[in-house]
Amino acid sequence: MTPWKQARGTVWSPVRAGLLRVRGRRVGWLVPLVLLVVVPTADILTGVDFRVISWLVVVPGTAAALCGVRTTVLFSVLTVAVYFALNRVLDADYRTGWPDFALVVAGSALSVAACAFRLRDARYVSHMQAVAETTRSTVLRPLPAHWAGMDHAAVYLAADSEARVGGDFYDIQPSPYGTRVIVGDVQGKGLNAVTAASAILGSFREWGFHERDLTVAARHLETRMRRYQEYGRAMGQDQGDRFATAALVGFPPPGHEPTDTVELVDFGHEPPLAVGPRGVRELTTVPALPLGLGALLDEPPVMVRIELAQDETLLLVTDGVTEARDRSGAFFPLRERLAEAMARDPLLAAPGLLVRLVRDQTLRHTHGRLTDDTTVLAVRRALVPEPGDPPVYPGNATVEEDLGGRPPGPEERTGGEERAGEERRTDGEEWPGPSGAGPRGADLPESGPPESGPPEPGPPEPGPPEPGPPESGRSVRDAPKRDP
């Protein structure tokens, strides 16, 4: 990564970007020191008609841009002393006189003041960036490793690189009824959209946990967005046209629903993609109006069940990816790029590698110039549980901010495939084997058992077959359900 990319989103300076460091130590003082030697030497070597001694004024100016106040004061004193000494030592024909001496003194004094103002502003900006980072971690909370039964990775790039937070949002919430995932985009960008994103995420974290029916949880999100709009109007803010697109996904718990399906409610969001060794396919949904606009039709959102093989990764993005343009105005061809990448290396379907691929391809397509907040989330069921998973909810998940290399294989994560199907939880639950097949004996809480009831547990099969490709991307439309 280049130094300017490392320093992106912070108060930029050559020292912070790593350009003026040697083995971790700052060497910015070398630049004014070299100038302090070069300018007098050039003045001595040139003739009477070409005098450059007054150029010494650039020495404290350079120190003010690269060094601290005390170092700038030191170079200012040295500059004045060198100028005065040369005028005393050189012949009368080489002396520039008091006007240039006054210029050097004034320039040195102004350089010290400019350095003090620069450092004060840098401290203020750093403080504001710390506040923005705290706001970001509050809205987009860091997700713990081995969480909610999912392997996942996410990247969030704010269009406002200084604020580092905007209207995009995502989260993963475990519940007694499975794992719920949300990705969305509030209309607008920057800090004005943060409050709306925070309101939606707060509602998702509560109702996504308590509600068994994903459609009911989706209705609560719509209600929360309308309440947010009403509050804005009461405060004299124009929030009437504020809305948000979102995709709400539910992964049923193992043993209670078919493990090769997911539940999906689409509020006018970008269609999810299923990425796997067999290619890339777009999932068919029944789009509803975006959150905050549901009153226009007053129709409940529709939940669909979609086939998703266990070796497929669900990719959810915002329009910062699909509407990214290059210099000629062409949109980023996400699906085509993914299909080409999967044809070259099917292992790129791993969440961490997939998110890194989409991020890098998007930035390359736009030449690093994002015009909208950009979020990429990849999630799939964990095929092999990790030691220390939460005892209540089925679980293993990871957030990969740094997006490291390929995930370890089953033999590295559990000590061997021959033990993966035999490991048991301390609470009496039995984990499935590496392919995700096999029973799990624990029941869900009494407050929310599924209507169909879980299958009777049985002994794990010694050799579960590899999951096959889904027959198609078709979806089953469920009848809308009312609030209990």
Side-chain angles (χ1 to χ4, degrees):
M1 182 179 291
T2 58
W4 71 268
K5 286 184 179 180
Q6 292 177 347
R8 185 187 178 197
T10 61
V11 182
W12 191 92
S13 70
V15 175
R16 187 184 294 273
L19 299 178
L20 297 176
R21 288 181 180 269
V22 176
R23 294 181 179 180
R25 296 184 178 181
R26 297 182 181 182
V27 293
W29 52 271
L30 284 176
V31 179
L33 180 61
V34 170
L35 291 175
L36 188 61
V37 175
V38 170
V39 173
T41 302
D43 184 72
I44 294 174
L45 297 178
T46 56
V48 178
D49 296 334
F50 188 75
R51 305 305 312 279
V52 296
I53 188 63
S54 59
W55 290 9
L56 279 172
V57 72
V58 304
V59 174
T62 304
L66 302 178
C67 307
V69 175
R70 285 183 292 184
T71 306
T72 303
V73 171
L74 175 61
F75 277 106
S76 298
V77 173
L78 290 176
T79 299
V80 174
V82 169
Y83 184 93
F84 183 78
L86 286 177
N87 271 274
R88 296 280 295 181
V89 173
L90 296 177
D91 295 337
D93 294 338
Y94 284 88
R95 296 175 183 174
T96 55
W98 293 106
D100 286 351
F101 180 75
L103 173 65
V104 172
V105 172
S108 300
L110 290 175
S111 297
V112 174
C115 181
F117 282 116
R118 175 181 68 86
L119 294 179
R120 186 196 65 178
D121 292 342
R123 285 191 295 268
Y124 174 77
V125 173
S126 297
H127 173 71
M128 295 304 297
Q129 287 178 344
V131 172
E133 190 65 29
T134 302
T135 303
R136 174 181 175 177
S137 62
T138 301
V139 177
L140 302 177
R141 61 178 181 176
L143 299 175
H146 316 311
W147 176 256
M150 298 290 119
D151 284 330
H152 68 89
V155 162
Y156 175 78
L157 302 175
D160 187 347
S161 61
E162 295 298 326
R164 306 188 71 181
V165 67
D168 285 5
F169 56 90
Y170 65 89
D171 200 6
I172 297 177
Q173 176 63 53
S175 78
Y177 317 108
T179 300
R180 273 71 190 273
V181 180
I182 190 172
V183 172
D185 181 10
V186 178
Q187 175 261 336
K189 59 183 178 180
L191 295 176
N192 293 331
V194 175
T195 55
S198 178
I200 295 173
L201 284 177
S203 179
F204 165 76
R205 289 161 186 166
E206 289 302 316
W207 296 111
F209 177 85
H210 291 290
E211 286 292 347
R212 181 180 61 182
D213 192 335
L214 193 66
T215 307
V216 177
R219 292 181 184 179
H220 285 295
L221 297 182
E222 171 66 25
T223 302
R224 183 65 185 92
M225 192 62 185
R226 295 186 192 180
R227 290 172 54 201
Y228 170 81
Q229 295 172 339
E230 294 173 359
Y231 173 79
R233 287 191 291 267
M235 294 295 296
Q237 303 172 359
D238 186 13
Q239 301 286 357
D241 58 349
R242 182 77 68 185
F243 61 88
T245 63
L248 184 60
V249 184
F251 289 82
H256 295 78
E257 292 287 346
T259 55
D260 59 349
T261 63
V262 294
E263 301 172 343
L264 178 61
V265 178
D266 182 10
F267 289 99
H269 196 69
E270 300 295 327
L273 298 177
V275 183
R278 292 168 298 279
V280 181
R281 60 191 179 93
E282 183 177 300
L283 302 186
T284 303
T285 65
V286 181
L289 289 178
L291 295 171
L293 302 180
L296 297 178
L297 293 180
D298 197 21
E299 293 183 355
V302 177
M303 182 188 72
V304 297
R305 287 190 176 90
I306 302 175
E307 296 178 353
L308 185 69
Q310 292 186 1
D311 61 349
E312 287 185 313
T313 299
L314 188 64
L315 180 65
L316 299 150
V317 301
T318 59
D319 56 5
V321 175
T322 56
E323 297 183 4
R325 298 173 180 262
D326 60 10
R327 293 175 179 174
S328 64
F331 288 112
F332 174 58
L334 173 62
R335 187 172 177 180
E336 290 76 7
R337 296 285 178 85
L338 288 178
E340 295 173 1
M342 291 301 109
R344 293 192 305 266
D345 185 3
L347 293 180
L348 289 175
L353 299 175
L354 182 60
V355 167
R356 169 182 284 180
L357 172 67
V358 176
R359 178 197 64 184
D360 293 346
Q361 291 287 343
T362 303
L363 291 176
R364 186 176 294 112
H365 183 79
T366 61
H367 301 278
R369 300 178 180 178
L370 298 176
T371 59
D372 197 1
D373 299 328
T374 302
T375 297
V376 184
L377 174 66
V379 59
R380 71 180 179 186
R381 290 187 184 275
L383 301 183
V384 179
E386 291 278 2
D389 286 339
V392 178
Y393 310 116
N396 154 4
T398 178
V399 173
E400 302 181 45
E401 278 293 335
D402 194 24
L403 299 177
R406 299 177 185 275
E411 62 278 2
E412 299 174 342
R413 298 173 62 181
T414 62
E417 291 184 354
E418 66 277 6
R419 295 181 55 193
E422 299 176 0
E423 291 193 290
R424 292 180 179 271
R425 297 286 293 277
T426 57
D427 57 358
E429 297 177 347
E430 181 175 345
W431 283 110
S435 65
R440 187 177 181 192
D443 294 332
L444 290 178
E446 296 181 359
S447 57
E451 296 178 2
S452 60
E456 291 296 329
E461 298 181 5
E466 293 295 331
E471 296 179 1
S472 65
R474 56 189 173 83
S475 61
V476 181
R477 179 168 177 169
D478 293 346
K481 302 181 181 178
R482 300 185 178 274
D483 290 294

